[in-house]
Amino acid sequence: KLETDRSELKIMKCFAVRCNESKAVFAHAVPVKGRDEDNFVANLIKADVGFMGHVKLILKSDNEPALLALGRAALMSIRCDVQNAESKVENVSIEHSAEHDSQSNGGTECGIRAARGMFRTVKLCLEERLGRQVPPAHPLMTWFVEHSALLLNAKQVGEDGNTSWNRLRGRDFGQQTIGFGEAVLHKQPPKGPQHDVHGDMGPRMFPGRFVGYSCFSNTYLAETEDHDVIKVRSLLRRPEVERWDAAKLQDVTATPW
């Protein structure tokens, strides 16, 4: 049944990272399970570690061969890249959970359950607005997974009165909350090759669709009319009756990889 669902594109591959200290959860849709030839998946883990800013960490995973290989690749990537960055990682090591005992990695299981619940809630909300279902293997879902985890970190308040975002960054999430897949107008940057592409008399705002946030640059992710996903600093929301267009979202083809 699992292989049949994969061949019919009814499921997609995902993995999650959870910080035991801040309770932050990071979730990603990935092209393969385990390590890939471009180290795309390992670099996602490296980026998550860089965002958290910890100087001492232990990577813990299940004992599946694919995940063990991924853990080793991520460990090497963190030691080589993050260690030379501003965070200055002092110590990073790898640890495995007990064999045949999923409860030994229970913290991560809790994070996965929370991320799955947030994903389900926001997906059902989008489908109600569109009036149709979004297939699990549609490229739009690859951005949806990361967006759901970010909402969990930015909006869920813990027993200490803080969100995971606040525990990691020292401040609350400050960007405008926008509905996933919402039709927006994005502003081109004031400088660079994308500025005034049509001259002084050209438009300043361009149509697009909101597909998430960039954690590292305080920007939004917008899918353009050319089907590229770009980082933009300013978005303008449309009137309510113009925000949801199933046909436009169906044409999304870009993925994080």
Side-chain angles (χ1 to χ4, degrees):
K1 183 65 166 61
L2 183 61
E3 293 301 326
T4 302
D5 288 343
R6 284 176 176 169
S7 63
E8 296 177 355
L9 300 179
K10 292 182 180 179
I11 60 175
M12 62 178 175
K13 301 179 181 69
C14 304
F15 86 94
V17 175
R18 185 175 189 262
C19 173
N20 186 59
E21 181 177 313
S22 67
K23 312 304 180 186
V25 179
F26 304 88
H28 307 278
V30 294
V32 297
K33 180 179 181 179
R35 185 178 183 180
D36 58 289
E37 60 272 15
D38 297 322
N39 273 340
F40 171 78
V41 184
N43 287 334
L44 288 175
I45 299 176
K46 179 187 69 176
D48 294 339
V49 170
F51 177 82
M52 290 184 284
H54 296 315
V55 297
K56 295 181 179 180
L57 63 146
I58 298 174
L59 300 182
K60 186 175 182 180
S61 71
D62 291 337
N63 293 300
E64 294 184 46
L67 294 181
L68 293 178
L70 176 60
R72 289 191 293 268
L75 189 67
M76 184 179 301
S77 183
I78 293 170
R79 284 175 172 171
C80 293
D81 295 339
V82 178
Q83 186 124 8
N84 296 325
E86 295 180 358
S87 57
K88 298 294 182 185
V89 174
E90 296 178 5
N91 183 41
V92 55
S93 58
I94 195 166
E95 179 180 303
H96 307 305
S97 59
E99 294 185 4
H100 312 298
D101 186 1
S102 60
Q103 292 185 355
S104 63
N105 207 11
T108 303
E109 297 295 334
C110 291
I112 292 174
R113 185 166 58 248
R116 186 186 294 123
M118 178 63 75
F119 176 88
R120 182 189 308 112
T121 300
V122 184
K123 178 177 180 290
L124 291 174
C125 178
L126 175 63
E127 291 177 339
E128 183 177 350
R129 287 166 166 169
L130 297 178
R132 66 175 67 177
Q133 288 188 335
V134 183
H138 193 279
L140 190 67
M141 292 293 98
T142 61
W143 304 98
F144 216 142
V145 173
E146 297 190 5
H147 179 68
S148 300
L150 185 140
L151 288 180
L152 200 63
N153 297 332
K155 298 300 180 181
Q156 187 179 55
V157 178
E159 295 180 354
D160 59 352
N162 293 321
T163 62
S164 297
W165 188 282
N166 188 295
R167 297 186 196 107
L168 289 173
R169 313 302 281 183
R171 55 180 174 79
D172 290 330
F173 182 75
Q175 291 178 262
Q176 184 181 16
T177 304
I178 300 175
F180 185 88
E182 184 176 321
V184 295
L185 295 172
H186 62 88
K187 187 177 181 180
Q188 297 287 24
K191 297 179 181 179
Q194 292 180 318
H195 174 60
D196 283 349
V197 291
H198 300 294
D200 290 339
M201 296 297 103
R204 290 294 184 268
M205 305 293 289
F206 295 85
R209 286 150 294 280
F210 171 79
V211 294
Y213 301 91
S214 175
C215 298
F216 293 95
S217 56
N218 196 35
T219 54
Y220 304 93
L221 299 178
E223 202 255 355
T224 68
E225 294 291 282
D226 297 328
H227 305 299
D228 295 324
V229 174
I230 62 174
K231 298 176 183 179
V232 296
R233 191 168 181 272
S234 300
L235 287 182
L236 181 65
R237 302 186 76 179
R238 289 176 175 268
E240 182 70 32
V241 295
E242 300 178 6
R243 290 180 181 177
W244 311 106
D245 189 335
K248 290 288 187 181
L249 288 176
Q250 186 175 356
D251 293 337
V252 173
T253 57
T255 63
W257 58 87

